[in-house]
Amino acid sequence: MTDEWAARTELTAILITVPELAAYTDRWRSVSRSSARPHVPLTELIPPHVTVLVPWVAEPTAEDVERLRAVTRSVQPFELTFPTAGQFPNGTAWLRPEPFDEVSALLKAVFAAFPDCPPYGGEFAEPHPHLTISSSAQGGPGVVAEAQAALAAEPAPVVQLTELGLWREDKNGVWSQFDAVPLGG
């Protein structure tokens, strides 16, 4: 993320939250810091999640939520697993959601519904669905190797994806959910 984009606060986002993974991912997320808020661990800012769309509309209206519902009505709930770890070039370590193609298709459908809200402010042409476990400042091959070993020893919990959460960041960079849109109508 560019410093300009990361410095923005009071954003809204559409997220796949997976609080069921907190006990599994907190070993990394509790010692990792956001580059925008280096004094606070990731665990205190936002629960484990896969970003669908950020930034979303600044002040979501009923019409915006309905536009999202139109996308999610055709997507049936499904199980998510996180069987592998990887790393972006900037050092951010992540877990890969599976079924990856289904998650990617969901993201692309949301992007198409909100063309005025480019993902990550347009910074990445093809966003890669992921669950961040360590930010770029603390990430790296060591965290990825540790995560791969942990996944081999004990897989991350399987979760049921039933909704997309609507989240808002406050002026301190802490996110809270204000609504949700169910999958499958």
Side-chain angles (χ1 to χ4, degrees), residues 9-138:
T9 60
E10 302 183 57
L11 299 169
T12 63
I14 303 169
L15 305 176
I16 297 169
T17 53
V18 286
E20 304 90 339
L21 265 67
Y24 193 88
T25 61
D26 279 1
R27 64 185 102 184
W28 304 292
R29 295 181 79 250
S30 66
V31 296
S32 183
R33 307 288 196 265
S34 161
S35 58
R37 288 151 197 86
H39 60 289
V40 183
L42 293 178
T43 52
E44 293 181 28
L45 295 174
I46 193 165
H49 67 279
V50 175
T51 299
V52 175
L53 182 59
V54 68
W56 190 37
V57 294
E59 292 298 328
T61 64
E63 291 79 22
D64 295 320
V65 174
E66 185 52 39
R67 194 171 4 156
L68 181 60
R69 284 184 201 283
V71 171
T72 62
R73 275 188 196 101
S74 64
V75 179
Q76 293 305 308
F78 59 94
E79 287 187 344
L80 277 179
T81 62
F82 294 85
T84 58
Q87 178 183 351
F88 291 127
N90 72 356
T92 297
W94 43 261
L95 299 181
R96 177 183 166 114
E98 294 290 349
F100 188 80
D101 291 344
E102 199 164 336
V103 174
S104 293
L106 176 59
L107 270 62
K108 288 176 182 173
V110 172
F111 301 163
F114 295 95
D116 50 330
C117 300
Y120 299 99
E123 187 171 349
F124 305 105
E126 288 287 323
H128 180 279
H130 66 281
L131 188 157
T132 298
I133 58 173
S134 182
S135 71
S136 57
Q138 295 85 28

